[in-house]
Amino acid sequence: MIRIGLVGTGKIAREALEMFGKHFQGQIEVVSVYSRFRTVEKAKKLAVEFNIPQVFTIYDEMMNQQNIDFVYVANTNNVHYEYARMALEAGHNVIVEKPICPTMQETQDLVQLALRYHLYLFEAVSFLHMPNMKKVGELLTELGKVRIVECNYSQYSSRYDRYLQHDIAPVFDPRLDGGALLDINIYNVNFAVGLFGMPVGAQYYPNKGYNGVDTSGVLVMRYPTFVAICTGAKDSAGPSFCTIQGEKGWLQVVGAPNEMREIRICVDGVTRTYSLNLYKHRMVHEFEDFIEIFEEQNFEKMSLFLDISLNVMKTINMTKI
């Protein structure tokens, strides 16, 4: 049984709790939830609904609990680093929602702490753990030399109308490290970096709102023999996909990359389709992986995923130079 201390009471926290109850009974138990005092009523309601024994409003008190295997940081981007760092220093393993941290330096600091204390640190990027993503990697050799990679994850945000009325949700607040690049476009960047590693250069072209936040934008990543274009939008809708074009054929992930429900590949005029994921809920495969890596003490596999996290943030850091 993996015992989790949950940090956060927002949408992703509730989604995770519902998913744990449906898919991980007997494997995952949420033993506590932390919230700031102003949202403690939400935390209490979650505790009652999901049978969570303890609610904390003082983070240090939660860190002193000995019955926590993992701290799951599922709140606003700007506090990912601080809460994760404190958890690691208290001797707890950590899962952090994407993006692991808003900056490259913070990401490096967390990785170094985890390795120093021999603790597990995972960034929750759902599709990296899906069978369909593994299949994409296997199919790359059939495409020949890659020439173009293009990803688009565009979804008109349910919070954008509020934003236009100057009611600013965290995802549209630059003070909380919100914005399209670190929210929705981060999946596209993970797709490219997860398959092809670090680019040799990157440039971000944002569309900025009245408060300076990027409500949409295009990240152009240069590799030695091709260019990857990553488009992410929360202010407009569009077809979501990831496409890899090679000299011998093309491959497409149909739909949003964070769910990666279907893959199509066309070589020599013949199209094949794969749908290998075992679950409809996008978060199940990643938590299965986290549990397996933890139980098998597979630090090598954890490090492979952390390398992707580091390279993604190094890529984004390129755009700020």
Side-chain angles (χ1 to χ4, degrees), residues 205-313:
Y205 301 92
N207 294 317
K208 292 188 176 182
Y210 58 81
N211 63 343
V213 76
D214 58 317
T215 58
S216 58
V218 178
L219 178 69
V220 179
M221 303 161 62
R222 291 186 292 104
Y223 286 87
T225 61
F226 67 92
V227 172
I229 303 166
C230 297
T231 300
K234 298 185 72 65
D235 56 10
S236 54
S240 294
F241 60 86
C242 295
T243 300
I244 304 169
Q245 296 173 212
E247 292 180 341
K248 296 182 179 179
W250 56 263
L251 180 148
Q252 184 178 58
V253 173
V254 182
N258 67 327
E259 296 189 346
M260 197 169 286
R261 295 199 180 277
E262 184 177 281
I263 305 162
R264 295 175 185 166
I265 182 171
C266 182
V267 178
D268 296 328
V270 178
T271 301
R272 303 176 341 249
T273 301
Y274 296 91
S275 298
L276 303 177
N277 296 343
L278 302 177
Y279 311 103
K280 289 185 178 180
H281 198 290
R282 62 185 176 81
M283 297 172 70
V284 179
H285 278 296
E286 64 181 333
F287 276 87
E288 281 191 338
D289 239 9
F290 298 158
I291 292 172
E292 180 180 293
I293 291 169
F294 176 65
E295 290 181 342
E296 293 181 356
Q297 298 288 291
N298 193 341
F299 271 85
E300 183 178 355
K301 189 172 181 180
M302 177 198 72
S303 296
L304 292 175
F305 286 114
L306 286 180
D307 285 344
I308 297 174
S309 298
L310 283 167
N311 286 338
V312 165
M313 293 315 302

Side-chain angles (χ1 to χ4, degrees), residues 18-266:
E18 292 172 349
M19 185 267 300
F20 293 156
K22 184 175 181 180
H23 293 280
F24 290 97
Q25 288 191 14
Q27 291 181 281
I28 292 177
E29 179 186 6
V30 179
V31 297
S32 57
V33 58
Y34 164 81
S35 76
R36 294 176 181 177
F37 188 75
R38 60 184 175 83
T39 56
V40 68
E41 291 306 316
K42 288 181 66 176
K44 289 178 179 178
K45 288 179 181 178
L46 287 177
V48 171
E49 183 177 353
F50 294 99
N51 298 312
I52 302 171
Q54 291 184 291
V55 174
F56 291 99
T57 56
I58 299 175
Y59 194 61
D60 282 338
E61 291 183 0
M62 185 181 188
M63 293 300 95
N64 288 332
Q65 298 300 300
Q66 300 302 308
N67 64 335
I68 297 174
D69 296 308
F70 277 88
V71 173
Y72 178 22
V73 181
N75 50 6
T76 55
N77 296 344
N78 64 308
V79 295
H80 283 189
Y81 171 73
E82 188 64 18
Y83 287 146
R85 179 187 62 78
M86 291 176 67
L88 290 168
E89 290 180 341
H92 301 299
N93 303 291
V94 175
I95 299 167
V96 189
E97 269 300 318
K98 60 82 188 167
I100 185 169
C101 290
T103 71
M104 178 185 70
Q105 186 59 58
E106 290 174 340
T107 304
Q108 288 178 325
D109 287 349
L110 288 188
V111 171
Q112 290 170 2
L113 275 176
L115 296 177
R116 182 188 311 161
Y117 296 138
H118 206 63
L119 292 167
Y120 289 88
L121 173 64
F122 298 115
E123 180 182 15
V125 182
S126 54
F127 73 87
L128 292 179
H129 303 270
M130 293 177 180
N132 279 346
M133 182 60 175
K134 182 180 179 181
K135 191 65 177 179
V136 170
E138 294 172 355
L139 293 172
L140 281 181
T141 57
E142 296 187 36
L143 303 180
K145 185 176 290 186
V146 172
R147 288 305 189 187
I148 294 174
V149 175
E150 185 176 5
C151 301
N152 189 333
Y153 190 2
S154 295
Q155 189 175 59
Y156 190 90
S157 173
S158 59
R159 300 175 180 87
Y160 187 61
D161 288 337
R162 286 172 47 194
Y163 172 77
L164 294 177
Q165 299 301 316
H166 290 249
D167 177 8
I168 303 172
V171 74
F172 288 111
D173 193 339
R175 297 171 301 177
L176 303 181
D177 294 304
L181 178 58
L182 290 179
D183 179 63
I184 204 164
N185 211 355
I186 201 79
Y187 289 111
N188 297 326
V189 183
N190 269 277
F191 179 80
V193 170
L195 291 171
F196 303 107
M198 278 284 295
V200 296
Q203 184 63 50
Y204 186 49
Y205 301 92
N207 294 317
K208 292 188 176 182
Y210 58 81
N211 63 343
V213 76
D214 58 317
T215 58
S216 58
V218 178
L219 178 69
V220 179
M221 303 161 62
R222 291 186 292 104
Y223 286 87
T225 61
F226 67 92
V227 172
I229 303 166
C230 297
T231 300
K234 298 185 72 65
D235 56 10
S236 54
S240 294
F241 60 86
C242 295
T243 300
I244 304 169
Q245 296 173 212
E247 292 180 341
K248 296 182 179 179
W250 56 263
L251 180 148
Q252 184 178 58
V253 173
V254 182
N258 67 327
E259 296 189 346
M260 197 169 286
R261 295 199 180 277
E262 184 177 281
I263 305 162
R264 295 175 185 166
I265 182 171
C266 182

